[in-house]
Amino acid sequence: MDYVNLGLKIGVGGVITYQRAQKTRSTIATLPLESLLLETDAPDMPLCGYQGRPNEPKMVKMVLSSLIMLRNENKQTVTSQLLKNSKSTFKFCD
């Protein structure tokens, strides 16, 4: 929370796809949605079920699915807020 209170964003990557990562999963589930960004950890950190293969940016969809399962918000709420977070962080044009 110290990082969040400083206004920093927290990258959510493939580690949340692992059931055994309970500490990380529970932390991500309780952080403010406004403080989260998706990442793939590509190519180094494979997602659960893909060990031994390089991670790719297209796998971010699986990270998003895992995040949605961990949160109490609905899919639309999570995806909309993550898009807002990305746009504000990286200054995308609409």
Side-chain angles (χ1 to χ4, degrees), residues 50-70:
Y50 293 87
Q51 295 89 333
R53 293 182 261 178
N55 196 348
E56 299 179 53
K58 68 181 180 181
M59 304 297 271
V60 76
K61 293 177 191 175
M62 293 177 67
V63 177
L64 174 60
S65 294
S66 292
L67 179 61
I68 291 167
M69 289 189 319
L70 294 175

